[in-house]
Amino acid sequence: MKANDIRQRLILGFGSTLLLILVLQLLGLTGMDSIQENLRQGNASHNERMALISALRLAENESAGQLYRLLSVEESSHEQELSQYKRHRHQFQQYRHSLENSGLPPRHNALVEQIIKHSEEVSRLEEQVLEKVLAGDLENAKKQLFGATVNSRQEVILALERLEKAQTDLNQLNLQHVNNTYQKMRELLFWISVAVVLLAGAIAVFVVKRTVKFEASLFREKEQAHVTLDSIGEGVISTDDNGLIRFMNKAAEHMTGWTLEQAWGNALLQVFCIKPESDSELPAENPVVKAMVEAHIVNSNQRIRLLKENGDEYAIEYTAAPMMDPDRSITGAVLVFRDLTAVRGMADRLAFQATHDSLTQLINRREFEARLEQALKLCRQSEQHHVLAYMDLDLFKVVNDTCGHMAGDELLKQISGLLHEKIRKTDTLARLGGDEFGILFLRCPLKKALEIIEVLRKAVKQYRFVWGDKSFEIGASIGLVEVSSASGGIAEILSAADTACFVAKDLGRNRYHIYQPGDVELAARRTEMLWMPRIQQALKSGDFELFYQRIQKTSHSNDDPDCREILLRMIDENGHFIPPRTFLHAAERYDLMPDIDRWVVASAFSKISALKQDHQCLWMINLSGQTLCDGRFYDYVIQKKLEFEVEPTSICFEITETAAVANLSSAKEMMSKLKQQGFRFALDDFGSGLSSFNYLKNLPVEFLKIDGSFVQDMLADPISTAMVESINQIGHVMGLKTIAEFVEDNVTMYKLKRMQIDYLQGYGLHKPEPLNQYTVAVVPSKSLELV
């Protein structure tokens, strides 16, 4: 073969080989560039979507936290908190739209639709919560927030987690695909390298350089993947097929307290030390082992705590997934876990606040009623018997009034601790409101409950509350009712116990009373309770009528004014008048006397102001002991005096002896202030109480009304006559005008005049008449508001 032919063949062969090498090289370079570009784009898309998912979760959590804070802050901060909430919701919508437009794979669209659906439901429910908050309905707002709203928000979070997991799986698949392609390209490059070595060293050097450059690019992509894992908030741990740790991101190192170097090669549970939150639950299992054995994703199905190396604990949830090679063989597992400590802590605090009293830390009335309802169901299912006790502290108001509400609060906390120490572990103690406590004795016969109640009563009675330089002795009035299958609803049971408690208080306090159907005391108490809404309605609708009764003077001195006493009647539904003795006791029981006294003062002043021609008459108006303790009553009287232009010297307020002595300091202060304004005072029913003349020196009274029981008995009882005579004499010595009540006949009238009693009052002289019949001028149309 000629050299020229050889040369031609060599040239042809070399050229063909070189062309083949060039073609193969071109294919290899194109493939590697494609792999690099696909990997770059895939990682960029994955990072973008993962960042959007994390931003969505953060925005959802921030809006939820903002809504929780909106429920707990003052109303003045609502606008600021609401603005923050709307900003987070707007951010959530922006991130959601960005996620929709990020080019998600079609198979992930269903998850995005779930996120859209549940997020719109969350927005709708939270709008309803906001409406209730702005309307002041915090109770229902909390119920909805911790109910349907929490569930819908959880669905959003779960959908985000599933989308995040799907994205992670997709990225893993992409990485796996890149690795497979890379392996094929390495084979191609190997043959290209062989050809380059055989044909030309220069080509070999070129191929080697290209290979080194490609490996560097892959290394950078791998490092970028590690940085991505380190930047997320969830902890990530990967293991080999034996469950030994091969990788941990920064979050996992922080939460476990182990570095990757320390944890490398250790079994998972040596580093990832977990336990159930409840001691009653089974020990936590190894999640990666379970995932590899079962060959599917494993999620935490109980409340789990992660124990850090330094002793700290985290509330977490986790997901473990097996890693497989193309042959579906298990090569290891990936564990992803997240810190839920703050979220669970907030949820637990909100749940505690919803069911407990903030002052005493005892369960509140709502939770107590729920437990009573459950106990009632147990009665009806298994014929169990329980006992309910309703406790009211005696003399608690004295501590409050004397030392202030801070002292009262401290007393309630100390009494709560005292009671809690004395009851059984199975019993339930609750603060029902104010100074009222409830105790539910579960599966307890009445005899045993009475033993415990007696221990509690003695403990409270023997307790001494010290505040500053003052020491107080208190007590407890307790009502008990048995709870059985024959009991009514919880409202009926609580009402029975409450009524029995008030009976115990009526019978002398510091005792207990057991509810029994047909109990006379309880029946009387319930009758009084029925008067309360009738009195309240009468105050609103003005179903009261003022009467007056003349008080006749026995002396002929022009200096003594004519007197008339204002009397009160209630108008029933048939237009009949109800005497005060029928309803005033109930009014005193339920602290309605200050409102009634205000009504009487306003009504009397409006009518007296019309009697201009009768300006010399002295009008007597009764005041209760409760009103004497009402610091705002003075301002009310002055307001009505100015409103109706009443002359204070024409008004004489009557105060009973027992009310004055029981509230001596308050009575003296109130009377002195009104006396300075020109009002006058009479002491009513004198002799029926302590009958002590000493305190009269300290009270600015001008009239002394002798108790009518002595006057009625004068004809048959010489002691009553002596009492009337002695009260009259002492009153005159002290410069007081005396008034004898209940004068019913001429003989009594004659005897009283001989004793030189200054005034006489009774049905024998004048029967009460409606005050409207006495007025001769039109009463100005003025409002009788009870301020």
Side-chain angles (χ1 to χ4, degrees):
M1 183 175 293
K2 295 181 179 181
N4 189 43
D5 293 336
I6 294 173
R7 187 181 301 110
Q8 289 180 352
R9 289 186 180 183
L10 287 175
I11 292 173
L12 179 62
F14 182 79
S16 300
T17 304
L18 183 60
L19 180 62
L20 177 61
I21 290 173
L22 290 174
V23 171
L24 293 175
Q25 183 69 25
L26 182 61
L27 292 175
L29 292 175
T30 303
M32 285 189 292
D33 289 339
S34 176
I35 290 171
Q36 185 177 7
E37 181 63 23
N38 290 339
L39 186 60
R40 185 187 64 77
Q41 292 180 357
N43 278 331
S45 298
H46 175 72
N47 291 340
E48 179 185 357
R49 293 166 190 158
M50 292 296 283
L52 286 172
I53 292 171
S54 297
L56 280 169
R57 182 187 293 111
L58 178 60
E60 182 65 25
N61 289 336
E62 287 294 333
S63 65
Q66 203 67 44
L67 195 55
Y68 294 153
R69 288 190 290 273
L70 184 62
L71 289 175
S72 60
V73 299
E74 297 291 338
E75 184 176 358
S76 59
S77 302
H78 278 183
E79 183 176 350
Q80 179 182 355
E81 298 296 335
L82 181 59
S83 174
Q84 291 293 328
Y85 164 76
K86 289 182 177 179
R87 182 174 65 82
H88 293 308
R89 292 309 303 175
H90 179 67
Q91 290 177 347
F92 182 89
Q93 296 299 328
Q94 287 181 326
Y95 294 145
R96 194 192 76 188
H97 291 315
S98 299
L99 183 62
E100 291 177 288
N101 299 326
S102 64
L104 289 169
R107 60 179 178 275
H108 294 173
N109 288 335
L111 293 174
V112 175
E113 291 175 0
Q114 291 181 18
I115 293 172
I116 295 172
K117 174 185 175 182
H118 293 307
S119 67
E120 290 176 350
E121 178 64 11
V122 168
S123 296
R124 185 184 66 81
L125 292 173
E126 288 182 346
E127 285 297 326
Q128 294 177 1
V129 171
L130 286 174
E131 291 176 1
K132 291 182 173 64
V133 171
L134 295 177
D137 190 2
L138 295 181
E139 191 68 21
N140 288 325
K142 290 180 180 179
K143 288 182 179 178
Q144 180 161 341
L145 179 60
F146 302 144
T149 307
V150 170
N151 295 334
S152 297
R153 184 177 297 110
Q154 186 65 27
E155 290 297 332
V156 173
I157 298 302
L158 291 176
L160 287 171
E161 292 173 353
R162 288 194 289 269
L163 181 58
E164 186 180 52
K165 180 61 176 60
Q167 284 293 308
T168 302
D169 292 343
L170 180 60
N171 192 50
Q172 291 291 335
L173 290 174
N174 289 338
L175 289 174
Q176 195 171 27
H177 176 70
V178 169
N179 286 333
N180 292 337
T181 306
Y182 174 70
Q183 293 299 328
K184 293 178 181 179
M185 292 305 302
R186 285 182 66 89
E187 293 177 5
L188 177 61
L189 291 175
F190 171 76
W191 290 112
I192 293 175
S193 299
V194 171
V196 170
V197 169
L198 294 175
L199 296 176
I203 297 176
V205 171
F206 175 75
V207 172
V208 169
K209 288 183 178 180
R210 293 288 294 178
T211 303
V212 170
K213 184 177 180 180
F214 180 70
E215 288 179 344
S217 176
L218 287 179
F219 178 78
R220 286 194 299 271
E221 296 295 341
K222 182 179 179 181
E223 284 299 305
Q224 186 176 357
H226 282 183
V227 171
T228 301
L229 289 175
D230 284 339
S231 66
I232 63 177
E234 288 82 1
V236 179
I237 301 176
S238 64
T239 68
D240 60 16
D241 56 353
N242 293 318
L244 302 180
I245 295 176
R246 290 292 179 264
F247 173 78
M248 295 173 63
N249 69 348
K250 296 298 183 184
E253 290 181 342
H254 172 72
M255 283 192 279
T256 61
W258 291 65
T259 64
L260 177 58
E261 290 75 15
Q262 294 171 332
W264 179 273
N266 284 306
L268 177 72
L269 293 185
Q270 287 183 267
V271 178
F272 186 68
C273 186
I274 55 177
K275 69 173 184 177
E277 286 192 357
S278 173
D279 295 336
S280 62
E281 296 180 356
L282 296 174
E285 56 189 348
N286 190 321
V288 299
V289 171
K290 183 177 180 181
M292 290 188 291
V293 169
E294 299 179 359
H296 64 71
I297 296 174
V298 173
N299 295 309
S300 51
N301 55 6
Q302 55 185 345
R303 291 171 71 103
I304 295 294
R305 299 196 73 82
L306 172 64
L307 306 181
K308 193 174 180 179
E309 183 70 12
N310 62 3
D312 293 342
E313 294 186 5
Y314 295 93
I316 65 165
E317 63 179 9
Y318 62 75
T319 299
M323 294 188 296
M324 301 181 183
D325 61 16
D327 297 328
R328 305 295 296 173
S329 298
I330 302 295
T331 61
V334 174
L335 175 71
V336 179
F337 54 97
R338 59 190 56 84
D339 182 9
L340 300 180
T341 305
V343 175
R344 286 187 185 169
M346 180 180 294
D348 291 343
R349 287 193 298 272
L350 290 174
F352 183 87
Q353 292 171 4
T355 57
H356 287 72
D357 172 54
S358 59
L359 176 65
T360 63
Q361 304 303 306
L362 300 177
I363 66 170
N364 57 23
R365 188 183 191 97
R366 184 175 65 176
E367 178 66 14
F368 185 74
E369 290 179 355
R371 297 190 185 186
L372 178 59
E373 182 72 38
Q374 186 62 34
L376 194 56
K377 289 181 181 178
L378 292 175
C379 289
R380 291 166 180 169
Q381 292 172 358
S382 56
E383 293 297 327
Q384 294 185 9
H385 288 265
H386 317 293
V387 175
L388 171 66
Y390 200 104
M391 177 184 295
D392 182 87
L393 298 182
D394 300 330
L395 304 179
F396 173 76
K397 190 175 183 300
V398 174
V399 177
N400 251 357
D401 293 345
T402 305
C403 301
H405 290 288
M406 289 183 61
D409 290 346
E410 181 61 29
L411 172 59
L412 290 175
K413 289 191 286 187
Q414 294 184 19
I415 289 296
S416 299
L418 178 66
L419 297 176
H420 197 272
E421 292 176 356
K422 304 295 182 182
I423 62 175
R424 306 174 305 171
K425 291 183 178 180
T426 56
D427 300 331
T428 299
L429 173 64
R431 184 188 178 199
L432 303 182
D435 61 338
E436 298 172 346
F437 297 86
I439 308 173
L440 179 59
F441 299 97
L442 285 174
R443 293 179 289 277
C444 181
L446 180 60
K447 182 178 179 181
K448 178 62 177 177
L450 290 178
E451 294 177 0
I452 302 174
I453 284 295
E454 185 60 21
V455 171
L456 296 177
R457 187 194 64 79
K458 289 182 178 179
V460 174
K461 184 62 177 176
Q462 294 170 1
Y463 175 76
R464 295 295 180 272
F465 176 68
V466 178
W467 186 265
D469 58 348
K470 298 181 177 62
S471 177
F472 298 90
E473 175 183 337
I474 59 175
S477 299
I478 308 167
L480 295 101
V481 59
E482 290 188 89
V483 181
S484 65
S485 58
S487 300
I490 59 172
E492 183 178 344
I493 295 172
L494 286 169
S495 175
D498 183 26
T499 305
C501 176
F502 275 102
V503 170
K505 194 174 287 288
D506 282 346
L507 294 177
R509 302 186 178 186
N510 190 38
R511 66 186 64 208
Y512 62 80
H513 189 85
I514 304 171
Y515 172 82
Q516 297 289 347
D519 191 319
V520 174
E521 293 287 348
L522 289 171
R525 181 61 184 159
R526 288 184 180 273
T527 300
E528 281 189 0
M529 293 172 66
L530 294 176
W531 272 107
M532 182 173 63
R534 293 185 64 182
I535 296 171
Q536 292 173 330
Q537 180 59 36
L539 286 168
K540 290 179 181 179
S541 58
D543 290 338
F544 286 112
E545 181 75 21
L546 292 184
F547 278 57
Y548 79 97
Q549 186 179 33
R550 288 197 303 271
I551 302 177
Q552 180 177 314
K553 60 182 178 180
T554 60
S555 67
H556 300 287
S557 172
N558 294 327
D559 296 333
D560 294 334
D562 293 329
C563 297
R564 292 173 179 82
E565 181 174 359
I566 300 291
L567 305 172
L568 181 66
R569 302 288 187 269
M570 181 187 287
I571 306 172
D572 65 13
E573 57 274 9
N574 298 319
H576 299 148
F577 292 118
I578 303 173
R581 64 175 178 275
T582 306
F583 60 86
L584 285 188
H585 186 68
E588 290 176 351
R589 173 75 62 195
Y590 294 103
D591 297 328
L592 295 175
M593 283 307 301
D595 290 339
I596 292 178
D597 286 346
R598 279 173 164 77
W599 190 95
V600 171
V601 167
S603 300
F605 280 18
S606 70
K607 296 184 183 301
I608 292 170
S609 66
L611 302 174
K612 305 297 183 182
Q613 81 291 352
D614 203 12
H615 61 277
Q616 295 298 327
C617 180
L618 182 63
W619 296 91
M620 293 192 168
I621 301 175
N622 290 278
L623 295 181
S624 67
Q626 294 174 1
T627 301
L628 290 176
C629 299
D630 185 354
R632 297 172 298 174
F633 182 72
Y634 170 79
D635 295 330
Y636 181 81
V637 172
I638 300 304
Q639 175 193 342
K640 293 304 174 184
K641 181 200 79 168
L642 298 174
E643 179 180 351
F644 295 109
E645 299 178 355
V646 172
E647 178 59 40
T649 56
S650 67
I651 304 297
C652 179
F653 290 115
E654 289 190 32
I655 301 171
T656 63
E657 174 197 6
T658 52
V661 175
N663 309 277
L664 189 57
S665 60
S666 300
K668 181 180 177 181
E669 180 181 1
M670 178 72 72
M671 293 168 70
S672 298
K673 291 168 65 177
L674 289 173
K675 183 74 173 178
Q676 291 174 2
Q677 294 293 325
F679 292 98
R680 308 168 79 173
F681 286 92
L683 195 62
D684 194 10
D685 295 338
F686 189 81
S688 62
L690 301 177
S691 298
S692 172
F693 292 95
N694 291 327
Y695 63 81
L696 282 176
K697 301 176 182 178
N698 299 316
L699 294 177
V701 297
E702 299 178 37
F703 297 89
L704 195 62
K705 297 187 76 172
I706 304 169
D707 185 69
S709 61
F710 297 127
V711 176
Q712 285 180 316
D713 294 340
M714 283 178 57
L715 299 181
D717 184 5
I719 295 178
S720 295
T721 301
M723 285 292 295
V724 173
E725 193 166 10
S726 63
I727 293 172
N728 180 56
Q729 291 175 354
I730 296 296
H732 285 166
V733 169
M734 299 180 70
L736 306 178
K737 297 293 183 181
T738 55
I739 304 173
E741 299 179 301
F742 293 7
V743 180
E744 309 294 342
D745 54 76
N746 292 330
V747 177
T748 303
M749 186 189 313
Y750 177 74
K751 292 187 67 174
L752 291 170
K753 286 184 177 181
R754 289 191 61 186
M755 292 180 186
Q756 296 184 341
I757 301 290
D758 297 303
Y759 289 90
L760 305 180
Q761 179 181 5
Y763 276 36
L765 299 169
H766 177 230
K767 292 183 179 180
E769 300 179 50
L771 187 57
N772 284 332
Q773 296 179 11
Y774 182 76
T775 52
V776 294
V778 178
V779 178
S781 176
K782 295 190 178 181
S783 172
L784 303 180
E785 295 180 5
L786 303 178
V787 218

